[in-house]
Amino acid sequence: MHKFLSLVLVIALLAVSSAAFAHGAEKADKAGILVVSFGTSMPQARKAIDNLVNAAKNAFPEIEVRLAFTSNIIRNKLARERGEIIDTPVQALAKMNDEGFTHVYVMPTHIIPGTEYDEIKNVVEAFNSLKGKYGFKKLALGSPYLNSSEDCATMARILFARFANQLKNKNTGIVLMGHGTPEHIANALYSLLQIELDKISYGRFFVGTVEATPQISEVIAKLKRNKKVNKLVLSPFMIVAGDHANNDLAGADDDESWLNILKKSGYKNISTYLVGMGEDPAIARGFVEKIREMMK
Ligand code: CO
């Protein structure tokens, strides 16, 4: 009898406590970082993204860091050719919610808040509209590298340091290829960066974009006004030195590449520096700083 009673008591307690857990008890806090990149399928170019992911892992060793790509073409290519599955931001956040993450810091690797960044923002806003068990206690979105004139000044200093050696030759001009976001006000940030670069080192940096303005024709017009510059260094102003850097910028076989257009415009002495900005230690430090800002 005594045995039976205590068994009933245990069962009753279990029922009460599981009900309390299912309905009332708060989930324990669990934080995560989600790095979001456009993505790349080129193994050499991937180093730049991995460098930023690793910087986040090293800075926040107690927090899990995950990676999502926005490009479905690249995601599908990686799955097909290398068997590597990388989630979209939507998939990654849904999984993190399911796995009990309560605080998620979404950190894009994007340089300007253009169309791509807007799409990530839409995803974050959509998840933030979910209340209850499918929502997060905190879901934050980090800012892109260039979001203000102060950011442009900081980036100009980073670029000046990055090309300090090449700039020692007074006849050298640094031609930077940004990605660009057409018909979007954020594209103006490239011109703001140009202004800041001119403040630090007048007439030595030439910023253009592959998809928007300033176009290569405008870069050449600016080059022609600087008669001293007869030696060029071409480099991507993108996190990843992938397809655009290797083909649209430096493609030797491509008549439309900046390399060939500049050659045709009379520049004989051209070298390339095809390293993604994501590999730059100063860019990795900035990335960590932006994550830290979100956590405040
Ligand atoms: Co592109």
Side-chain angles (χ1 to χ4, degrees), residues 17 257 280 294:
S17 67
S257 73
D280 195 302
M294 269 191 282

Side-chain angles (χ1 to χ4, degrees), residues 141-210:
L141 175 65
S143 81
Y145 280 98
L146 302 184
N147 213 12
S148 64
S149 47
E150 200 187 318
D151 288 343
C152 290
T154 304
M155 184 61 82
R157 285 194 293 275
I158 291 172
L159 289 166
F160 186 69
R162 185 171 168 84
F163 295 100
N165 267 330
Q166 293 94 324
L167 288 166
K168 280 178 194 155
N169 180 326
K170 295 288 173 225
N171 300 113
T172 297
I174 313 294
V175 175
L176 298 173
M177 177 190 260
H179 191 278
T181 193
E183 289 166 40
H184 193 298
I185 189 66
N187 200 69
L189 286 157
Y190 293 105
S191 300
L192 208 47
L193 174 65
Q194 179 72 66
I195 290 170
E196 294 298 335
L197 284 165
D198 283 340
K199 280 188 202 166
I200 292 185
S201 187
Y202 186 80
R204 308 298 301 281
F205 283 94
F206 303 85
V207 180
T209 72
V210 62

Side-chain angles (χ1 to χ4, degrees), residues 151-286:
D151 288 343
C152 290
T154 304
M155 184 61 82
R157 285 194 293 275
I158 291 172
L159 289 166
F160 186 69
R162 185 171 168 84
F163 295 100
N165 267 330
Q166 293 94 324
L167 288 166
K168 280 178 194 155
N169 180 326
K170 295 288 173 225
N171 300 113
T172 297
I174 313 294
V175 175
L176 298 173
M177 177 190 260
H179 191 278
T181 193
E183 289 166 40
H184 193 298
I185 189 66
N187 200 69
L189 286 157
Y190 293 105
S191 300
L192 208 47
L193 174 65
Q194 179 72 66
I195 290 170
E196 294 298 335
L197 284 165
D198 283 340
K199 280 188 202 166
I200 292 185
S201 187
Y202 186 80
R204 308 298 301 281
F205 283 94
F206 303 85
V207 180
T209 72
V210 62
E211 303 283 1
T213 55
Q215 297 175 356
I216 183 62
S217 56
E218 292 159 292
V219 169
I220 292 169
K222 190 172 160 75
L223 274 166
K224 295 289 182 194
R225 289 196 293 275
N226 290 269
K227 302 266 184 269
K228 268 173 71 182
V229 171
N230 54 28
K231 191 175 187 294
L232 303 179
V233 177
L234 311 186
S235 192
F237 178 57
M238 299 182 208
I239 289 303
V240 164
D243 188 48
H244 288 309
N246 286 281
N247 299 315
D248 300 314
L249 180 63
D253 310 327
D254 184 350
D255 279 350
E256 306 280 288
S257 73
W258 285 18
L259 174 71
N260 284 327
I261 294 173
L262 287 162
K263 275 184 184 169
K264 271 178 259 167
S265 308
Y267 293 93
K268 300 280 175 272
N269 196 338
I270 305 179
S271 59
T272 57
Y273 182 65
L274 304 184
V275 178
M277 294 292 293
E279 290 184 55
D280 195 302
I283 290 292
R285 278 195 298 276

